[in-house]
Amino acid sequence: MSHTLGIRQAQKQKTRQALLDAALGLLEEQSLSSLGLREVTRAVGVAPTAFYRHFRSTADLGVELVEEALGSLHPMIGSTVSATGDSDERITRAVDLIARHVDAYPAHVRFIARERHGGVQPVREAIRRQLARFAEEVKVALAGRPESAGWSDEDLLMLAGLYVDQMLMTASQFLEAMEGPAEERERVARTAARRLRLVGIGRHHWQD
Amino acid sequence: MSHTLGIRQAQKQKTRQALLDAALGLLEEQSLSSLGLREVTRAVGVAPTAFYRHFRSTADLGVELVEEALGSLHPMIGSTVSATGDSDERITRAVDLIARHVDAYPAHVRFIARERHGGVQPVREAIRRQLARFAEEVKVALAGRPESAGWSDEDLLMLAGLYVDQMLMTASQFLEAMEGPAEERERVARTAARRLRLVGIGRHHWQD
DNA sequence: AATTCCGGAGAACAGTTGTTAACTGCATGG
DNA sequence: CCATGCAGTTAACAACTGTTCTCCGGAATT
């Protein structure tokens, strides 16, 4: 099925990816609404007009970055939810997975945290849609577990959303603590684990 | 004590406030890192150079906006925490207080949500400092309650931070649902209340 | 082998930006 | 009443922005 695409489209996708990467890099110290088209092409070493061959505007580029960033986050969610073992083990494992993800894709995490409430509406909506998809998946995963017996669909979605939001907040806190002392990252990990434990306890006694 | 300041300084503070207000308005559809100095002065109807009489840069203006926005939020936190009555009553009352605050100061809420992870470092830090202060206050308030017996200081701070974050998330969700159907706002209120209830249950059984 | 297609380059456009300097008019303190 | 201080103005600066049009060279198609 994979028709090895010609040297033509290969080059196109290459510069396209270069534009996306350059933009992600520039967004480390500004937000999307101030990212200029020329700024991106200059960083890649390509003419400003070449930008239009790939994206209609920087907002358009932002929407595509959402797919890329949340695409990398998607598999992590799966392994977090489907973790096995004792409750406390699963929590520390989940927090550790988040920390590793932040280390591996800091720019992706920063982009999502920044633009989730950022100044560009289409990007905000794209993030909201994807996160809603994530919450839905987590909800289904939670519904399959025995301890979810008697939970209404709405309550399960509430819990799933809480987990997704908490994951993002934790990731953002890890990011802030990245170029700080190691003890700061440890502190973030500890309070994140405690928050998850509190939620887990609340979940366990929900039915009363 | 309040020495009615001369007509000179009165005018200065008046245009200064006009600049802050205009900036807050312009930030409805962009983020601080793309806010231009000329853009703000144009909205007020004043020469671009007049801006320098009040702020060193737009980042500087942003830091002052943090004080203003979180200053308006501060009393709300107090009344939320010190609410009386049955547990469920207090939750619905707290959510209602948040909803009213978003209705009264939508631009303030938007600004904080947007710039908390935004592209301007000094502003991010100012917000982080203020929110840490809030969490500290909530922690002290929580420590005074009888059900907090046996809680460590670190656990209380964890819980306080969770409440503060949850409040901001709820406020942001109310904001997104503002110009939507009333049923959407109702849905936000319901799931926010359920989240708080879950946390409350977890708090109640924390000691086991 | 000839022709079409298309990613990218180049130049030019009107409009914007932050920042400087030297100014004006008026409230203020002596 | 007069001199100082200072919020706000005007003019000019080089640098930057998004967008259009025209062109080129090489891959793709026939």
Side-chain angles (χ1 to χ4, degrees):
Chain A
M1 176 206 165
S2 90
H3 168 264
T4 40
L5 62 178
I7 143 174
R8 189 95 184 236
Q9 306 200 10
Q11 264 299 339
K12 175 163 185 180
Q13 290 212 339
K14 196 171 158 191
T15 60
R16 177 197 154 91
Q17 190 60 43
L19 288 169
L20 286 168
D21 291 348
L24 208 52
L26 291 167
L27 286 174
E28 197 157 330
E29 38 203 8
Q30 65 183 311
S31 30
L32 185 65
S33 81
S34 67
L35 183 70
L37 158 171
R38 296 183 99 108
E39 199 179 350
V40 179
T41 57
R42 192 186 315 133
V44 174
V46 90
T49 49
F51 186 92
Y52 291 105
R53 302 285 182 197
H54 303 273
F55 311 100
R56 221 161 307 174
S57 63
T58 56
D60 199 39
L61 178 147
V63 172
E64 311 254 352
L65 272 182
V66 173
E67 313 299 320
E68 179 175 307
L70 288 186
S72 87
L73 202 137
H74 190 256
M76 194 198 80
I77 282 206
S79 44
T80 296
V81 173
S82 67
T84 59
D86 165 84
S87 169
D88 264 7
E89 283 176 27
R90 285 177 44 210
I91 286 177
T92 43
R93 175 137 181 74
V95 172
D96 193 60
L97 270 173
I98 296 174
R100 285 177 196 280
H101 186 83
V102 174
D103 274 343
Y105 308 96
H108 283 174
V109 172
R110 176 177 289 114
F111 174 75
I112 295 299
R114 185 156 295 171
E115 301 304 330
R116 182 183 187 185
H117 308 281
V120 183
Q121 208 214 21
V123 172
R124 279 201 312 263
E125 281 182 0
I127 294 178
R128 203 176 46 78
R129 265 199 306 274
Q130 294 279 354
L131 291 185
R133 270 195 351 121
F134 283 5
E136 193 69 29
E137 284 184 35
V138 173
K139 187 198 78 177
V140 170
L142 289 175
R145 300 192 162 273
E147 63 260 45
S148 300
W151 280 65
S152 78
D153 201 73
E154 196 175 3
D155 283 346
L156 278 175
L157 191 57
M158 176 275 289
L159 183 63
L162 183 54
Y163 276 137
V164 170
D165 283 341
Q166 204 56 238
M167 194 196 71
L168 252 63
M169 297 223 44
T170 304
S172 162
Q173 282 169 324
F174 271 127
L175 194 67
E176 287 175 17
M178 246 186 91
E179 52 246 348
E183 65 169 29
E184 179 67 9
R185 275 184 289 179
E186 194 51 46
R187 204 186 55 79
V188 169
R190 244 196 355 263
T191 79
R194 289 188 198 205
R195 283 191 181 191
L196 285 178
R197 195 172 305 133
L198 187 85
V199 170
I201 293 173
R203 167 147 83 120
H204 190 251
H205 295 88
W206 181 250
Q207 300 289 11
D208 325 341
Chain B
M1 177 204 168
S2 87
H3 168 265
T4 40
L5 64 179
I7 145 172
R8 190 94 185 237
Q9 305 200 12
Q11 264 300 337
K12 175 164 184 179
Q13 290 213 340
K14 197 172 157 189
T15 62
R16 178 197 154 92
Q17 189 59 43
L19 288 169
L20 287 167
D21 291 349
L24 207 52
L26 290 167
L27 286 173
E28 197 157 332
E29 37 203 6
Q30 65 182 311
S31 30
L32 185 64
S33 82
S34 66
L35 183 69
L37 158 171
R38 297 183 98 106
E39 200 178 350
V40 179
T41 57
R42 193 186 313 133
V44 174
V46 91
T49 48
F51 185 93
Y52 292 105
R53 301 286 180 195
H54 303 273
F55 312 100
R56 222 164 303 176
S57 63
T58 57
D60 199 39
L61 179 147
V63 172
E64 310 255 351
L65 271 181
V66 173
E67 312 299 319
E68 179 174 308
L70 288 186
S72 88
L73 203 136
H74 190 259
M76 195 198 80
I77 283 204
S79 46
T80 296
V81 173
S82 66
T84 60
D86 166 85
S87 169
D88 265 6
E89 281 177 29
R90 285 176 44 210
I91 286 177
T92 43
R93 174 134 183 76
V95 172
D96 193 58
L97 270 174
I98 296 173
R100 286 177 196 279
H101 186 83
V102 175
D103 274 345
Y105 308 96
H108 282 173
V109 172
R110 176 177 290 114
F111 174 74
I112 295 300
R114 186 157 295 171
E115 302 304 330
R116 182 183 188 183
H117 308 280
V120 184
Q121 208 213 19
V123 172
R124 277 200 313 264
E125 280 182 359
I127 294 178
R128 203 176 46 76
R129 266 198 307 274
Q130 293 280 355
L131 291 185
R133 271 194 351 121
F134 283 5
E136 194 68 28
E137 285 185 34
V138 171
K139 186 197 81 178
V140 170
L142 288 175
R145 300 194 161 271
E147 61 260 44
S148 300
W151 280 64
S152 78
D153 200 73
E154 196 176 2
D155 282 347
L156 278 175
L157 190 57
M158 176 275 288
L159 182 62
L162 184 54
Y163 276 137
V164 169
D165 283 342
Q166 204 55 238
M167 193 195 72
L168 252 63
M169 297 223 40
T170 304
S172 162
Q173 283 169 324
F174 270 126
L175 195 67
E176 287 175 16
M178 247 186 88
E179 51 245 347
E183 65 168 28
E184 181 67 10
R185 275 184 290 178
E186 194 52 44
R187 203 186 57 79
V188 169
R190 244 196 355 263
T191 81
R194 289 188 198 208
R195 283 191 181 189
L196 285 178
R197 193 172 306 134
L198 187 86
V199 171
I201 294 174
R203 167 147 84 119
H204 190 252
H205 294 89
W206 181 248
Q207 301 289 13
D208 324 341

